[in-house]
Amino acid sequence: MFDSFLEELHTQLHSRGAEALPIPEGLAECHSTRSSSVIRSWLWTLPGIRRWRVTRLDAGESLQVLNSVAYPDYSRDQPLLGIDLLWFGSRQKLVAVLDFQPLLQTPAYLAHHLDELRLLHKQFPDLSGEETMRSYDPHQYFSPWLLFCRGGAEQAHGSLPVAFSAFLDRYWALHDRPQIATGIEPLDVPLLQSNYDAYSAERDPAHGLFTSHFGKTWSDRFLHEFLFPGHEKVPVLTNESSP
Ligand code: BLA
């Protein structure tokens, strides 16, 4: 379902000079022993982005996933890029989340970094459904203008491909802007990014899913060593009231 998106993302990463980073032993690919599910991941670094991870899960008709997070260099205070696309084929159900994930929730930070996303949010109303979050807090590391849709085939084949391209395009535009100070001390960026990992490792609703396909031992390692390796560096803090 999302292979054309994966290809589009990888083509752009290559055109931006992406180089592969090593993935911990055994985590780049895993085949379920119980079903035909396969999970495959890639890890990149490129100018201005220290770590860009990409994961594709193929569980046939029951589930297809494309998940990706970009962590900018520590010298940049821009939001992380976050992509989580899920297609439950047997139920024809789509969950699509595209966000510029903010390091801070202050008005100055949001105004500076999220204008482009605000325009996309307006442009794609059927993907911007004000959905309720069950496991995450929408005020931590999610922007007020994320594209978040629980929909079906109409959105998956209609607006999502257009929105996906526009979303990548707008993130590159944000990335290419001159860097100016927005009130975060450079030293705080590593802490805020690690805190994102700690928060996400605790809340990610995918852990049960991974365990059911690939077993608990592999899933624990994948979550801690690949998806959110920064989680060890900090206790879970809120980013709501940071400077
Ligand atoms: C929801 N994401 C989900 C769900 C699953 C995944 C199973 C629950 C589905 C549902 O609510 O119906 C799957 N998450 C994954 C997978 C990976 C993962 C397979 O991390 C890893 C390979 N999630 C992200 C990122 C964003 C994100 C980067 O990983 C932001 C763009 C958002 N996922 C997100 C949100 C929900 C979700 C907001 C709804 C959760 C909620 O209701 O609280």
Side-chain angles (χ1 to χ4, degrees), residues 39 41 53 55-57 63 65-69 81-86 88 93 95 97-99 101 132-137 141-142 146-148 150 196 204-207 209-210 222-223 227-228:
I39 188 165
S41 297
R53 64 166 166 82
T55 296
R56 174 190 191 275
L57 168 65
L63 180 62
V65 180
L66 177 63
N67 180 279
S68 188
V69 177
L81 169 142
I83 295 172
D84 199 14
L85 304 178
L86 293 87
F88 300 87
K93 187 186 145 192
V95 179
V97 194
L98 300 170
D99 198 13
Q101 302 202 260
T132 307
M133 290 191 193
R134 301 171 194 141
S135 40
Y136 294 109
D137 171 357
Y141 293 108
F142 286 104
L146 84 169
L147 305 187
F148 179 15
R150 295 184 193 276
Y196 168 91
D204 196 327
H207 188 253
L209 177 95
F210 293 142
F222 185 64
L223 191 84
L227 292 181
F228 307 114

Side-chain angles (χ1 to χ4, degrees), residues 37 60 140 155-156:
S37 315
Q140 282 200 56
Q155 288 82 12

Side-chain angles (χ1 to χ4, degrees), residues 127-179:
L127 299 178
S128 310
E130 317 298 334
E131 305 286 352
T132 307
M133 290 191 193
R134 301 171 194 141
S135 40
Y136 294 109
D137 171 357
H139 303 297
Q140 282 200 56
Y141 293 108
F142 286 104
S143 83
W145 300 290
L146 84 169
L147 305 187
F148 179 15
C149 155
R150 295 184 193 276
E154 198 184 320
Q155 288 82 12
H157 297 296
S159 40
L160 187 61
V162 190
F164 185 81
S165 300
F167 173 78
L168 290 182
D169 185 63
R170 293 299 85 203
Y171 193 74
W172 292 126
L174 174 81
H175 184 70
D176 291 340
R177 277 192 329 203
Q179 297 289 303

Side-chain angles (χ1 to χ4, degrees), residues 1-15 42 44 54 56 66 164-165 168:
M1 166 59 94
F2 303 122
D3 282 356
S4 60
F5 297 177
L6 178 65
E7 209 179 300
E8 182 176 349
L9 176 58
H10 275 163
T11 303
Q12 296 196 7
L13 289 176
H14 289 306
S15 77
W42 297 261
W44 307 102
V54 182
R56 174 190 191 275
L66 177 63
F164 185 81
S165 300
L168 290 182

